[in-house]
């Protein structure tokens, strides 16, 4: 069952196309990554799913319907710009948003207690939010999003501003929620950081869908066509356009995209003549590589 | 509806539990009481000292009459004369000397009655402070009384009789209402009108600022988007307006109740301390006026706070509030000016027309209802118009609000706002 479906969605801000002909769907129980650089239209897309903004064209369905106010209780949303009532006590604030998401006052208080103790914030429950450290505030923000046990979780840049420990914690939390059947959509501009987390992705650039599908689909589309060589010496062959379409030299090693029709064997044969090789491997491209390549190609088409 | 209630509850509790609410609620009446009491305290203490006045009487007849009149008519609480008179005979008169005595504070003033006083109607008053109108007027009144007495005696009439014959006449005021004329003091009606209209004025300015500030704060703290993911813009806006309104009613309720106890028990207490204290009779509120006040007070608050909320949604920092508030504060202040201009003729065509304009209705209608008998259909028409425009304002504000609350970092222009109103989203 598809939890979220976007069909040919457009959004304009004045002359600017924030989102252009965007379509994708998210099946139940998946983690879906909406990836792209800053300003690609990720936040606008998520806001449209939440119906905070309305699309100018196209349709968006959530749980099989146009999102009605009565359905928002089934969704947890974390905006990109985090915000809390700084003067409110932690416990009161959490319970308030729980109630606002349709929990009864008693249940909201019970859940607030549970979640605060789970994140080791019980001691801070009666403190004002403004007195908490930034890391703690981020935990509170996450609690607000998941307190009411939503079926669908929409997180705008959940990893930004987190330290590496908290990034891991957040990943584990998302995987745990996925195992409980929650559907998760999140956006990120740091693609390598999240690629292993996603079941499916949509890469967007300037509001347009550049590439989408399950992670394995995306990867197989580009195949295992990257060659990485750790070496010493002068690699003259890298400039040979009949062999190498593109290369990225990191000093110690170089990443190569061979020219069409060039086999790894042919490349290796040439390389051994010029450099001493420590390691030679055939790998799949990272999402970042794929994205850069696609955007470059597209840019050439546009200009 | 339920979510509106949850937001209302939070907005209300967070403000009522705040220590500044308590301080403000307690401090405001103290301020008012000080403002009312202090001037009268100063006036009273100012009168306690007996004033010494020297008189140089060139007519030879005026001084005894002046002293007799002053001692009889100007007395303090204990019945002692307020002025101490010293006559200086023409021979002893030394202006330099008297000047010095005034400067030294031995004398408060000295008067010179020239022999021509009966023809020219003029005498001379020398004092350090000649800007004290109250004092000057008292002296003028006393001397006039003495001069009049001399003139009456000169014509051979009996001063007592003349006094009885020339006694001034005063009107007893009745307010004409449907149920028939009813005795009411004209001044008290004014006092009542001022209290009611100024209360509305203050509520619109003061609690309106809470609304505009509340919206801007939620925007600058970025809580707004989180709220939006759980409730509709309408629910957020109405919840805020009602929550802040409920806080205002709580505060005004506390003041009204304490004012009630203060006036009923306070009067008794003051009377037991100061036997002769003259306390003003308290204005009584007719049922019609009270009803009009409550209706226009509430509708006025909703009408204006919707506008405040829309304006608040256009800003995202404390400093924006300064310039954003003007479009809404201006008509409120204007209503007050109009009230002062129109209260002399509350039934005139200008008053009728202006009081039907929703921006001015809350203050002008209450003024008219308290001041005179407004035809019932005009009141109903004003209520209907105000309800319709409040709904219209709520609708319009909600459209501005839901776009405005997502806008950050730029000053909004009027054409842009017009575009927001037309947006489907």
């Amino acid at each position: 069952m598809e939890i979220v479906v976007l069909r040919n969605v457009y959004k304009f801000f004045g002359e600017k196309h924030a989102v252009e002909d965007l379509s994708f769907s998210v099946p139940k129980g998946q983690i879906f990554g909406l990836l792209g650089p800053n300003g690609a239209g990720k936040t606008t897309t998520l806001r449209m799913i939440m119906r905070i903004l309305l699309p100018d064209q196209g349709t968006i369905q959530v749980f099989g319907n146009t999102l009605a106010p009565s359905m928002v209780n089934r969704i947890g949303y974390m905006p990109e710009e985090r915000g809390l009532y700084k003067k409110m006590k932690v416990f009161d604030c959490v319970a308030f948003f729980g109630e606002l998401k349709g929990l009864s006052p008693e249940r909201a208080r019970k859940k607030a207690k549970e979640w605060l103790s789970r994140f080791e914030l019980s001691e801070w429950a009666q403190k004002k939010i403004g007195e908490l450290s930034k890391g703690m505030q981020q935990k509170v923000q996450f609690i607000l999003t998941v307190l009411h046990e939503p079926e669908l979780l929409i997180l705008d840049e959940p990893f930004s501003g987190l330290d590496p420990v908290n990034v891991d914690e957040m990943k584990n939390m998302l995987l745990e929620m996925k195992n409980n059947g929650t559907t998760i959509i999140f956006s990120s501009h740091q693609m390598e950081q999240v690629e292993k987390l996603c079941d499916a992705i949509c890469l967007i650039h300037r509001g347009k869908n550049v590439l989408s599908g399950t992670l394995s689909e995306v990867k197989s589309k580009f195949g295992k066509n990257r060659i990485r060589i750790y070496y010493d010496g002068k690699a003259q062959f890298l400039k040979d356009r009949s062999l190498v379409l593109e290369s990225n030299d990191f000093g110690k090693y170089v990443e190569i995209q061979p020219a069409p029709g060039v086999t790894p064997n042919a490349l290796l044969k040439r390389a051994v003549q010029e450099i001493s090789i420590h390691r030679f491997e055939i790998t799949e491209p990272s999402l970042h590589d794929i994205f850069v390549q696609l955007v470059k190609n597209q840019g050439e088409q546009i200009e | 509806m339920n979510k509106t209630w949850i937001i209302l509850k939070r907005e209300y509790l967070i403000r009522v539990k705040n220590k500044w609410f308590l301080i403000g609620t307690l401090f405001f009446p103290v301020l008012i009481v000080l403002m009312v009491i202090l001037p009268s305290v100063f006036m009273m203490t100012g009168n306690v000292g007996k004033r010494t006045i020297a008189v140089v009487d060139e007519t030879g007849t005026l001084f005894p009459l002046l002293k007799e009149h002053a001692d009889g008519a100007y007395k303090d609480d204990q019945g002692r004369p307020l002025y101490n008179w010293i006559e200086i005979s023409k021979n002893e008169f030394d202006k330099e000397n008297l000047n010095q005595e005034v400067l030294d504070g031995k004398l408060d003033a000295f008067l010179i009655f020239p022999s021509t006083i009966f023809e020219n109607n003029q005498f001379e008053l020398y004092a350090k402070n000649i800007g004290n109108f109250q004092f000057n007027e008292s002296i003028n009144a006393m001397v006039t009384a003495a001069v009049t007495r001399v003139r009456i005696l000169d014509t051979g009439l009996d001063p007592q009789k003349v006094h009885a014959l020339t006694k001034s006449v005063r009107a007893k005021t009745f307010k004409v209402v449907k149920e028939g004329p009813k005795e009411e003091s004209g001044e008290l009606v004014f006092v009542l009108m001022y209290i009611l209209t100024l209360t509305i004025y203050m509520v619109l300015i003061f609690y309106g600022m809470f609304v505009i500030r509340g919206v801007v704060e939620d925007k600058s703290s970025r809580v707004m988007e989180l709220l939006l993911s759980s409730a509709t813009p309408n629910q957020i806006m109405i919840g805020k307006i009602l929550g802040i309104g409920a806080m205002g009613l709580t505060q005004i309720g506390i003041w009204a109740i304490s004012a009630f106890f203060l006036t009923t028990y306070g009067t008794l207490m003051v009377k037991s301390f100061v036997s002769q204290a003259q306390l003003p009779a308290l204005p009584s509120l007719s049922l019609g006026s009270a009803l009009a006040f409550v209706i226009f007070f509430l509708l006025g608050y909703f009408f204006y706070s919707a506008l405040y909320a829309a304006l608040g949604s256009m800003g995202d920092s404390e400093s924006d509030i300064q310039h954003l508030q003007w479009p809404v504060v201006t008509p409120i202040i204007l209503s007050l000016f109009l009230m002062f201009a129109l209260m002399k003729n509350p039934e005139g065509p200008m008053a009728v027309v202006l009081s039907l304009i929703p921006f001015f209705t809350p203050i002008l209608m209450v003024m008219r209802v308290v001041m005179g008998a407004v035809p019932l259909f005009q009141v109903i028409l004003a209520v209907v118009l105000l309800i319709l425009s409040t709904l219209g304002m709520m609708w319009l504000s909600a459209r501005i609000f839901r776009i405005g609350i997502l806008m950050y970092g730029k000053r909004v222009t009027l054409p842009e706002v017009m575009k927001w109103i037309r947006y489907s989203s």
Side-chain angles (χ1 to χ4, degrees):
Chain A
M1 186 202 160
E2 308 288 340
I3 297 292
V4 175
V5 181
L6 275 77
R7 283 198 201 92
N8 311 102
V9 171
Y10 286 79
K11 181 73 192 175
F12 311 105
F13 292 123
E15 296 295 298
K16 195 176 160 259
H17 294 210
V19 172
E20 212 176 328
D21 198 19
L22 188 64
S23 302
F24 63 77
S25 61
V26 183
K28 186 172 164 54
Q30 281 204 347
I31 297 185
F32 183 89
L34 190 62
L35 309 178
N38 291 325
K42 303 186 295 290
T43 296
T44 305
T45 307
L46 296 184
R47 281 180 173 174
M48 284 193 290
I49 297 174
M50 285 308 295
R51 255 185 123 66
I52 290 171
L53 293 173
L54 296 186
D56 291 323
Q57 279 178 46
T59 58
I60 298 176
Q61 294 199 318
V62 181
F63 305 124
N65 283 300
T66 304
L67 189 69
S70 61
M71 290 153 73
V72 295
N73 291 353
R74 297 161 68 185
I75 308 175
Y77 175 67
M78 184 156 89
E80 182 181 11
E81 296 276 4
R82 318 280 195 259
L84 296 164
Y85 285 115
K86 296 264 188 304
K87 289 176 192 158
M88 237 177 150
K89 285 178 183 164
V90 175
F91 183 85
D92 291 347
C93 183
V94 173
F96 164 70
F97 278 101
E99 271 192 69
L100 208 54
K101 281 293 192 185
L103 300 181
S104 69
E106 300 75 39
R107 196 164 161 71
R109 276 197 284 277
K110 186 166 161 277
K111 283 276 157 196
K113 211 176 254 171
E114 277 176 26
W115 279 93
L116 286 173
S117 86
R118 186 169 168 187
F119 278 83
E120 292 163 354
L121 286 170
S122 297
E123 288 170 47
W124 299 84
Q126 294 306 318
K127 290 264 191 303
K128 289 198 172 148
I129 287 178
E131 298 171 30
L132 266 58
S133 73
K134 210 169 171 212
M136 289 184 196
Q137 289 191 23
Q138 264 163 342
K139 284 179 182 172
V140 174
Q141 191 93 41
F142 186 73
I143 293 175
L144 299 186
T145 318
V146 297
L147 177 78
H148 57 293
E149 292 164 349
E151 298 162 53
L152 170 61
L153 209 53
I154 295 177
L155 311 168
D156 201 351
E157 297 280 359
F159 300 103
S160 77
L162 296 184
D163 60 37
V165 177
N166 283 325
V167 167
D168 277 350
E169 228 171 89
M170 175 69 87
K171 279 182 182 170
N172 292 336
M173 193 58 87
L174 294 186
L175 287 172
E176 190 193 313
M177 302 204 70
K178 180 197 165 181
N179 290 336
N180 293 337
T182 311
T183 309
I184 300 168
I185 300 176
F186 73 88
S187 72
S188 179
H189 64 278
Q190 296 151 304
M191 294 169 223
E192 61 283 14
Q193 208 174 40
V194 296
E195 79 179 77
K196 293 195 179 63
L197 197 62
C198 303
D199 296 301
I201 56 150
C202 176
L203 282 174
I204 63 171
H205 179 59
R206 291 186 189 157
K208 282 188 209 154
N209 179 348
V210 183
L211 179 68
S212 62
T214 65
L215 205 62
S216 48
E217 271 171 19
V218 168
K219 292 270 172 123
S220 67
K221 203 163 166 185
F222 284 79
K224 277 199 161 197
N225 67 345
R226 287 295 191 282
I227 291 166
R228 193 176 289 168
I229 308 173
Y230 290 76
Y231 70 102
D232 280 320
K234 266 203 149 169
Q236 295 291 342
F237 69 96
L238 292 176
K239 292 187 182 111
D240 185 347
R241 288 283 153 248
S242 65
L243 272 176
V244 176
L245 188 67
E246 252 196 282
S247 66
N248 211 347
D249 200 335
F250 294 95
K252 245 178 166 173
Y253 69 92
V254 62
E255 259 183 24
I256 298 167
Q257 191 187 349
V262 176
T263 62
N265 277 2
L267 197 71
L268 183 59
K269 215 180 238 172
R270 172 75 185 275
V272 288
Q273 293 166 13
E274 295 179 15
I275 53 176
S276 64
I277 295 171
H278 305 309
R279 199 158 118 201
F280 184 91
E281 63 186 13
I282 302 166
T283 79
E284 60 187 18
S286 68
L287 268 183
H288 183 262
D289 287 341
I290 294 175
F291 180 79
V292 169
Q293 192 185 330
L294 284 170
V295 167
K296 253 190 189 163
N297 291 345
Q298 204 187 44
E300 278 157 13
Q301 281 163 20
I302 292 167
E303 280 146 20
Chain B
M1 201 57 223
N2 186 30
K3 292 196 176 180
T4 310
W5 170 247
I6 295 165
I7 292 170
L8 185 162
K9 206 168 62 180
R10 195 202 78 87
E11 294 288 338
Y12 176 74
L13 289 177
I14 198 91
R15 288 188 167 78
V16 173
K17 282 183 187 169
N18 189 306
K19 64 172 182 285
W20 288 107
F21 177 80
L22 191 69
I23 293 169
T25 307
L26 294 179
F27 188 68
F28 183 74
V30 172
L31 197 77
I32 295 289
V33 167
L34 285 181
M35 266 162 54
V36 172
I37 288 182
L38 277 186
S40 51
V41 168
F42 283 133
M43 292 244 274
M44 276 206 248
T45 52
N47 281 346
V48 164
K50 204 170 181 178
R51 288 179 198 266
T52 305
I53 298 169
V55 177
V56 181
D57 184 6
E58 294 179 1
T59 65
T61 51
L62 219 41
F63 181 75
L65 291 170
L66 172 68
K67 186 168 158 47
E68 186 195 329
H69 173 72
D71 288 355
Y74 293 82
K75 289 186 228 170
D76 66 9
D77 292 344
Q78 271 78 39
R80 290 172 306 206
L82 278 172
Y83 298 92
N84 186 24
W85 303 96
I86 301 168
E87 187 175 17
I88 302 200
S89 70
K90 241 159 79 178
N91 315 337
E92 293 165 30
F93 175 45
D94 174 5
K95 210 170 182 180
E96 294 298 315
N97 193 17
L98 284 176
N99 275 338
Q100 195 54 49
E101 280 187 37
V102 170
L103 287 174
D104 292 347
K106 282 184 204 145
L107 281 179
D108 287 289
F110 67 91
L111 313 176
I112 301 174
F113 298 152
S115 48
T116 58
I117 186 169
F118 298 108
E119 291 80 44
N120 295 347
N121 298 319
Q122 218 166 43
F123 66 99
E124 288 163 16
L125 164 66
Y126 297 80
K128 251 197 287 196
N129 177 11
I130 53 165
N132 187 342
F133 290 106
Q134 224 186 340
F135 174 71
N136 296 358
E137 279 313 307
S138 312
I139 297 290
N140 282 338
M142 285 185 281
V143 177
T144 303
V147 168
T148 309
R149 206 178 166 86
V150 171
R151 284 172 179 158
I152 292 167
L153 287 169
D154 280 357
T155 48
L157 293 169
D158 178 3
Q160 299 284 313
K161 213 165 203 167
V162 173
H163 186 64
L165 291 172
T166 56
K167 229 174 171 150
S168 59
V169 185
R170 300 200 71 80
K172 199 166 162 188
T173 47
F174 295 85
K175 184 170 171 178
V176 178
V177 290
K178 222 189 207 155
E179 296 77 31
K182 154 175 103 157
E183 190 175 346
E184 211 169 271
S185 151
E187 284 101 55
L188 285 186
V189 168
F190 259 102
V191 170
L192 187 65
M193 192 272 287
Y194 276 123
I195 292 176
L196 296 183
T197 50
L198 288 178
T199 304
I200 294 181
Y201 173 80
M202 268 186 32
V203 164
L204 295 185
I205 297 271
F206 189 65
Y207 296 106
M209 285 305 288
F210 273 95
V211 175
I212 201 168
R213 175 158 288 135
V215 174
V216 169
E217 268 173 6
D218 280 7
K219 266 188 80 180
S220 63
S221 72
R222 310 275 172 169
V223 174
M224 200 54 101
E225 197 171 347
L226 207 56
L227 291 175
L228 276 176
S229 72
S230 315
T232 64
N234 282 8
Q235 288 168 336
I236 297 169
M237 192 179 90
I238 294 170
K240 253 188 187 314
I241 290 173
L242 291 180
I244 291 166
M247 172 206 66
L249 286 181
T250 307
Q251 200 159 42
I252 293 171
I254 292 171
W255 292 335
I257 290 167
S258 34
F260 175 76
F261 278 103
L262 218 80
T263 46
T264 42
Y265 295 102
T267 317
L268 292 177
M269 268 169 61
V270 171
K271 273 199 171 139
S272 67
F273 282 120
V274 189
S275 51
Q276 283 184 311
Q278 269 241 324
L279 289 164
L282 291 159
S284 64
L285 193 57
S286 75
L287 186 65
S289 298
L291 208 61
F293 171 72
V294 171
I295 290 173
F296 289 114
F297 169 92
L298 290 177
L299 285 176
Y301 173 75
F302 289 132
F303 177 78
Y304 271 109
S305 56
L307 190 53
Y308 273 112
L311 290 164
S313 76
M314 295 176 199
D316 53 33
S317 72
E318 188 78 8
S319 59
D320 289 337
I321 297 174
Q322 291 301 322
H323 70 265
L324 284 173
Q325 63 174 318
W326 284 110
V328 56
V329 170
T330 308
I332 299 173
I333 294 176
L334 193 59
S335 341
L336 206 63
F337 280 123
L338 288 173
M339 182 195 91
F340 287 121
L342 295 171
M343 67 189 181
K344 286 180 199 106
N345 188 10
E347 295 310 310
M350 276 289 273
V352 172
V353 171
L354 287 171
S355 68
L356 289 175
I357 297 175
F359 282 97
F360 308 135
T361 299
I363 286 177
L364 292 188
M365 252 316 169
V366 167
M367 178 271 282
R368 291 188 56 208
V369 168
V370 177
M371 295 287 287
V374 181
L376 188 62
F377 82 91
Q378 282 184 17
V379 179
I380 291 174
L381 182 61
V383 170
V384 170
L385 283 178
L386 192 53
I387 288 176
L388 289 179
S389 5
T390 301
L391 292 176
M393 187 58 87
M394 287 269 180
W395 177 85
L396 202 68
S397 293
R399 291 183 80 83
I400 296 171
F401 187 82
R402 90 215 132 116
I403 310 277
I405 48 182
L406 291 171
M407 293 285 169
Y408 283 96
K410 57 175 180 181
R411 206 171 259 205
V412 181
T413 60
L414 192 63
E416 251 174 299
V417 174
M418 302 310 285
K419 215 156 66 189
W420 293 358
I421 294 170
R422 287 197 303 269
Y423 274 162
S424 59
S425 65

